[in-house]
Each structure stands twice: as structure tokens, then as C-alpha cells.
Amino acid sequence: MRVTLTLAALAVVFAGAWFAFLGWDHEYYEVDGVAQGPYQPWQVIACGAVIVLACTAAFAYLRRVWLLAVIPVVAVVGFAVPWAARASQDDTGLWVVGLLFLLVGGTMGLTVWLAVGYAVVETVRAVRARRRGPGVAPAPRT
């Protein structure tokens, strides 16, 4: 039940991140005469940081290896649903390509991030256990 509630809360956080950082900005702006946007770089960076930090915190809280495959999917789908609802209003139809990039790239990136973090934590635990020496019970995992 704890896993289900945490994943549901994460999906809401990720949708909220889209609304908080990107959902309100629909205006394009010009840089050297070229249309840019509609998002400023700080909006995308802040939104990405919230998503990465929330995924990391959830994985550290739940501490189950199989969630390496689940948390990134929940993150990307939670973010992609409101993004796609807004982007589907695009007349060119290119939003579908953007959605594909978001789903595949976001899932892969978050999976790699969490897997590397998991590997680092497990390596540190193994080194600490080796330093304690043989016959010493490992520290309890909480």
C-alpha cells in the first residue's frame, strides 16, 4: 500500500510540476529576431530538477530495486498527460513526435539516473561492510 500511495503521489507531483513551471506559459518570445519558446530555460531546468529530485527521494524512501523500472514510467506519464493535453492543440501535429521523445527519453534518462544512484549506494555499503571485517553482522537496512 505504501508503494501504491507513493507512486500515486508522485504522479500528482509530476503533473503539478508541469502546471507550476510550464503550463502557464504559452507565449513565444524573440531572440535576435528568431522566435523562441514558449518556455524560458529556467522553467525547463526547474521543472526537470523537481522531477529528478522527487524520483530520487521516492526511490530512496521505498528502497525496492524493481522500482528502478516503475518510478521513471510513473514520472514521465504523470508529466506527459498534462503536457500532451496542451500540446495536442498544435496545428502541425508535431506534438506526437515530441510526446514520443518525452516518453522514451524521459524514461531512459530517469532510469539511468536512478540505476547509477543505486549502484553508488550499494558500492558504498559493500565497501563499509568489507571494512568492518569478516564475522561482523552487516548494518541493518532501514
Side-chain angles (χ1 to χ4, degrees):
M1 185 65 144
R2 180 173 90 151
V3 171
T4 303
L5 290 175
T6 302
L7 293 176
L10 281 176
V12 171
V13 166
F14 302 135
W18 182 83
F19 283 108
F21 292 104
L22 307 175
W24 52 270
D25 193 357
H26 308 293
E27 300 297 320
Y28 286 82
Y29 58 96
E30 284 194 25
V31 174
D32 296 330
V34 179
Q36 305 285 321
Y39 312 126
Q40 297 283 338
W42 72 266
Q43 292 172 279
V44 177
I45 291 167
C47 187
V50 166
I51 290 171
V52 168
L53 290 174
C55 284
T56 304
F59 186 70
Y61 172 68
L62 295 172
R63 300 183 83 174
R64 289 175 174 79
V65 177
W66 61 273
L67 288 173
L68 284 172
V70 176
I71 290 175
V73 172
V74 170
V76 172
V77 170
F79 181 85
V81 168
W83 180 89
R86 172 71 180 127
S88 65
Q89 298 171 7
D90 176 32
D91 294 335
T92 66
L94 289 175
W95 72 273
V96 177
V97 176
L99 180 62
L100 181 64
F101 283 136
L102 174 63
L103 292 172
V104 174
T107 301
M108 288 175 56
L110 287 171
T111 301
V112 168
W113 172 261
L114 292 177
V116 167
Y118 176 76
V120 167
V121 168
E122 290 303 310
T123 301
V124 168
R125 282 191 180 134
V127 167
R128 287 181 181 168
R130 225 178 306 131
R131 285 185 184 160
R132 283 192 295 271
V136 177
R141 293 175 76 174
T142 56

